[in-house]
Amino acid sequence: MSAMSATAAPDAFLHRLDPDMCVVTAAAGGERAGCLVGFHSQCSLNPVRYVVWLSDVNRTFRVARSAEVLAVHLLARDRYGTAELFGGETGDETDKFRRTGWREGYGGAAVLDDAAAWFVGRVLERTAGGDHVGFVLEPVEWGEREGAGGALLRLADTGAIRPGHPVD
């Protein structure tokens, strides 16, 4: 068995990951925002908690800072257009919600019609994590779209989407 160099780039690990993608939406102060997110995970079993990590340079983060709830949406692969809208456009220039179906959920959250499954979570805490901020959520409302079975959209499916907001 060969040992890997301790100085090997983290890409040797990170490039093997292919997480499900989600769209996170926020509403606060009369504004709505949403973005495509790859960093998210359940972070507690009992009580159930979920964390989403938002880039601190995008509009969704700026709205989410004041939001009491966030909505987290899983997309099926056949909803690539929704992923492209929320990942490839910036809310600083485009009203994404005029270009897709949605409804108001618990606490004023924007729940997308295209989601295969979704939940609204009350923001319990925010924590810094480099160039992203983690929002720890307590799920309070959830649902799924009838007939939305099939594979979920994954990171590898979104490679052609150029970020609406640069990472730098």
Side-chain angles (χ1 to χ4, degrees), residues 16-164:
R16 292 176 180 262
L17 302 177
D18 192 17
D20 295 326
M21 300 298 286
C22 67
V23 171
V24 175
T25 58
E31 295 184 84
R32 285 184 305 275
C35 63
L36 187 63
V37 171
F39 303 149
H40 60 98
S41 176
Q42 183 174 344
C43 59
S44 175
L45 290 171
N46 189 15
V48 173
R49 298 292 185 258
Y50 204 87
V51 64
V52 295
W53 294 88
L54 302 179
S55 170
D56 62 11
V57 299
N58 73 29
R59 184 170 185 277
T60 304
F61 169 74
R62 293 191 307 270
V63 174
R65 284 188 306 204
S66 302
E68 294 182 17
V69 296
L70 300 178
V72 180
H73 309 81
L74 293 175
L75 300 175
R77 283 190 177 146
D78 66 353
R79 301 302 174 164
Y80 180 84
T82 302
E84 193 171 39
L85 173 63
F86 281 90
E89 300 284 338
T90 173
D92 292 326
E93 299 169 5
T94 302
D95 183 349
K96 300 173 190 181
F97 296 91
R98 285 186 184 215
R99 296 178 49 193
T100 192
W102 66 280
R103 67 172 182 80
E104 191 171 302
Y106 178 92
V111 177
L112 303 179
D113 295 342
D114 275 353
W118 58 271
F119 79 90
V120 174
R122 185 178 300 116
V123 178
L124 298 179
E125 67 181 272
R126 295 165 178 88
T127 186
D131 59 3
H132 283 63
V133 173
F135 291 74
V136 178
L137 307 174
E138 172 189 25
V140 293
E141 181 183 40
W142 49 89
E144 61 185 339
R145 184 170 42 87
E146 282 190 46
L152 294 175
L153 188 75
R154 301 184 71 86
L155 178 62
D157 300 322
T158 65
I161 299 174
R162 300 190 50 83

